[in-house]
Amino acid sequence: MNSQAIGDGLAHFNAGLNLTSAVLLVTGLIYIRRKEIRMHRRCMLGAVVSSALFLVFYLLRAALTGTHAFPGPDSVRRVYLVILISHMILAVVVVPLVIRLLYLARHYRFKAHRRLARWTYPAWLYTSVTGLFVYFMLYHAYV
């Protein structure tokens, strides 16, 4: 098995991690709205773990295979790039925000946690969902 095959396998695995994160984020929101704090905590910690694993395996895949050129037509490429750029920017911004949310929850500062989560949650969910879009566009739409 060569590095390209390993990288492609990691891309598929990472898509699964992104999907897992997105599902856990939505489920965690449902639980907190129902005031089921214990289940909310479990979902959100699961989302953190799946997102962290995604980051590790994404960096490994990038080291093995580098970046991928968009294989579709130029008309679609523009839309793809807008989504990719917004995805990348928010992915970088979300990391310290999630770390801060974990800190606030750990220290029982729930009012500040709630305030920050109102901004962090949609950015994190957007990052997870657009990560799936990027994966689909690179590995399935124009193959």
Side-chain angles (χ1 to χ4, degrees):
M1 186 177 276
N2 63 21
S3 63
Q4 186 64 43
I6 294 170
D8 288 346
L10 286 173
H12 303 310
F13 180 68
N14 280 340
L17 290 170
N18 252 340
L19 178 60
T20 300
S21 181
V23 168
L24 287 169
L25 286 168
V26 171
T27 306
L29 179 65
I30 291 167
Y31 279 126
I32 199 61
R33 287 190 174 162
R34 292 179 181 168
K35 308 277 191 248
E36 295 183 43
I37 309 249
R38 186 169 159 246
M39 292 304 295
H40 168 75
R41 182 182 301 125
R42 286 182 175 180
C43 287
M44 300 317 281
L45 289 175
V48 168
V49 169
S50 63
S51 293
L53 286 171
F54 168 85
L55 181 58
V56 168
F57 287 113
Y58 172 81
L59 293 172
L60 178 60
R61 190 211 48 83
L64 287 172
T65 63
T67 59
H68 290 72
F70 179 68
D74 283 343
S75 59
V76 178
R77 184 175 187 269
R78 290 183 187 103
V79 173
Y80 167 80
L81 287 175
V82 167
I83 292 171
L84 176 63
I85 290 167
S86 66
H87 167 81
M88 291 169 53
I89 291 168
L90 282 177
V92 170
V93 169
V94 161
V95 171
L97 296 175
V98 169
I99 292 169
R100 179 71 177 161
L101 284 173
L102 291 170
Y103 173 85
L104 292 170
R106 177 80 172 110
H107 290 88
Y108 303 99
R109 294 176 53 193
F110 297 118
K111 187 175 181 179
H113 175 86
R114 195 176 314 114
R115 243 187 346 259
L116 182 59
R118 285 196 173 108
W119 294 96
T120 305
Y121 176 85
W124 190 2
L125 184 59
Y126 177 86
T127 302
S128 293
V129 171
T130 56
L132 290 168
F133 173 81
V134 168
Y135 163 77
F136 176 76
M137 295 303 282
L138 286 177
Y139 290 92
H140 294 287
Y142 297 101
V143 177

